[in-house]
Amino acid sequence: MPNDGSAGPGGEPAASSADDGRSELERLRDRVATLEADKTARAPHHRWRSFFSALLIIIGCVLAPLAAVAAWTADEIGDTDRYVDTVAPLASDPDIQAAAANRVTDAVMEHIDLPTLLEGVAPADRPLAEKALGKLGGALENAVRSFVHDKTEEIVSSETFENFWTEANRRIHSAVDKALTGSGGGAVKINNDSVTIDLGPVVDQVKQRLIDDGMSAASKIPEVHTDITVLRTDDIGKVKTYFKILQLAGFWLPVLSVLLIAAGVLVSTHRRRVLVVAALAFAFAMLLLGGALTVFREAYLNALPDTVSQPAAESVYDTLTRYMRTTVRMAVTVGVVVALAAWLSGRGRRATFVRQAWHSGIGSVRATADRAGMRTGPVGPFIRRHRKWITWVLVVLAVLTAILWSYPTAPVIIGIALVWLLVMALVEFLAGHPEEEDAGATGAPPAQPTA
């Protein structure tokens, strides 16, 4: 009978098979023990990396809103030219013009003596005129006020007022420090913790306009000073100190925030996943800053005294914080774009489906171009060889464009992302696949892989 290996003289074959089985089992056990030991050794290391990664990202996200405020302070409050460019349009704002016209009208009316309006009346007719004046009473005062208000509106809606407003705001930056120490003066000053602009020059122009239009009583108006509030706070000296600190941190704080978030991503063990979370956390932190600006707006306006025009104060606040709101929208857009890009480059089922649809669409366009006789020549092979480097160069160029752009906005960030996608589609189109180019050159369809 043939030997089946199940037994032999002395039982050696069976014993040998059993020994081999035990040896293989021992090797598997040793391998499992080694893997478990490695896992146990790596677990504390991974926990520490995860902890420091989360800590760095949290600190970076907490600093992000402060960094936006610091950048706003340095660029908006610390830069005179940018500040003037921001507030100059307020001279044409209807609420500002109405507030200025009302202030000047009230100041002028306080110094117009209605009986002096009879100075041009003949002596014989004055008793009758005085009697008529007494009967008119408030009606005459309202008529005069309306006349003065019309002349004032002509001044505040003119180019003269725009020039005055621009120059007065330009002097704010240099006058605030002097005003805080009591050695300042000029059109910009601080009274009761309020930054104000003296409208005395506007009053003088209204006075001259009234005299030119026949109201001789206006010549008796003395030098008048009335003001319009630009900014008010209960402790402007402390705010000034905060501004100085934020102004000094205007450049380094945003850089520090970004570096901390980047370091947290690099330290993590699952970088792509952590990058998605970090980018969304950054966007959420900036959204909180946007909400804080809205809440502070209501608190600030409600704290203003009744003498301050609410519509004018709203216009000033919205104008001064417009750049910061733009920064918030831009930062949120950056966070969402980065998170979306990191997610799309991952291995998830949905992300893979999107990438496949992208490649399939470009492949269809390329196949149509091949059938039409279009050839990439040496460009296709070159791009295929250096596609990775080309991709990273395009990423760096997109980032540098966003960084070097003067005051980028959310539409600018979206535009940069769309242009980058368009260029990447072009790279994908030109790169093609070697088998497609070979098939296109021979006029045969591409070879299909065999199962």
Side-chain angles (χ1 to χ4, degrees), residues 263-313:
V265 173
L266 293 176
V267 168
S268 63
T269 55
H270 305 285
R271 293 175 181 173
R272 182 179 287 107
R273 188 185 308 169
V274 171
L275 177 59
V276 174
V277 175
L280 292 178
F282 172 79
F284 179 73
M286 297 306 295
L287 276 178
L288 290 180
L289 174 59
L293 289 175
T294 302
V295 173
F296 181 76
R297 179 182 187 272
E298 296 301 321
Y300 170 74
L301 294 175
N302 291 334
L304 293 176
D306 296 336
T307 55
V308 177
S309 171
Q310 283 283 326

Side-chain angles (χ1 to χ4, degrees), residues 66-77 246 249-251 254 323 327:
L66 295 177
V69 175
W72 172 78
T73 303
D75 292 339
E76 191 76 31
I77 304 301
L246 291 173
F251 173 78
Y323 168 71
T327 301

Side-chain angles (χ1 to χ4, degrees), residues 104 164 197-206 223-227:
V104 173
F164 164 77
I197 295 179
D198 185 10
L199 297 176
V202 180
V203 174
D204 292 338
Q205 294 182 37
V206 173
E223 183 178 353
V224 177
H225 294 281
T226 187
D227 53 60

